[in-house]
Amino acid sequence: QVQLVESGGGLVQAGGSLRLSCAGFGRTFSAFGMGWFRQAPWEEREFVAATSRNAGTTYYADSVKGRFTISRDNAKNTVYLQMNSLKPEDTAVYYCAATRDYPPSIAPLLYEYWGQGTQVTVSS
């Protein structure tokens, strides 16, 4: 069992930045690929970014490429999502998730453990 707890969400103006954190508790954090997903009201949950177990490989949705950066610190059991140049369309609840798949998938169904989510709101 892995428990994931996100933090760092909030309200920011367009063009601003936020850094989300996701702390993992329980089984060996470094054994899991980690992903960030987001879900806006009335929308399906969508892939944002993922990192492999040792952070050697990262993946991004086209909509965030060049603006968001995923990273992880296995010594702290934490994965981060640095979000720059935020846009109103980035507004959503952001979730971190853990998967045993390698490379980590972009499909939410392949992630076993999920955090509770953190709200990000970008005002125009």
Side-chain angles (χ1 to χ4, degrees):
Q1 187 77 7
V2 175
Q3 280 188 301
L4 301 172
V5 179
E6 301 99 336
S7 61
L11 173 64
V12 64
Q13 287 189 327
S17 299
L18 282 175
R19 188 173 85 152
L20 305 184
S21 299
C22 172
F25 304 90
R27 300 186 65 179
T28 306
F29 183 78
S30 59
F32 293 88
M34 297 298 297
W36 285 97
F37 294 79
R38 66 187 181 187
Q39 189 166 18
W42 315 113
E43 300 287 336
E44 292 188 354
R45 192 167 297 188
E46 67 170 355
F47 170 76
V48 175
T51 179
S52 58
R53 297 169 207 150
N54 63 357
T57 309
T58 55
Y59 306 89
Y60 296 94
D62 287 343
S63 58
V64 307
K65 207 170 289 183
R67 300 187 297 122
F68 291 11
T69 303
I70 188 171
S71 61
R72 66 187 297 165
D73 184 341
N74 287 339
K76 295 182 178 179
N77 286 1
T78 302
V79 63
Y80 305 96
L81 185 68
Q82 177 67 44
M83 305 186 294
N84 299 328
S85 302
L86 282 160
K87 305 175 181 180
E89 51 263 44
D90 294 318
T91 295
V93 177
Y94 283 70
Y95 300 89
C96 71
T99 179
R100 299 177 202 269
D101 278 1
Y102 182 82
S105 173
I106 67 171
L109 286 177
L110 296 181
Y111 283 75
E112 298 177 53
Y113 302 104
W114 291 82
Q116 82 287 352
T118 185
Q119 176 71 45
V120 171
T121 303
V122 184
S123 63
S124 56

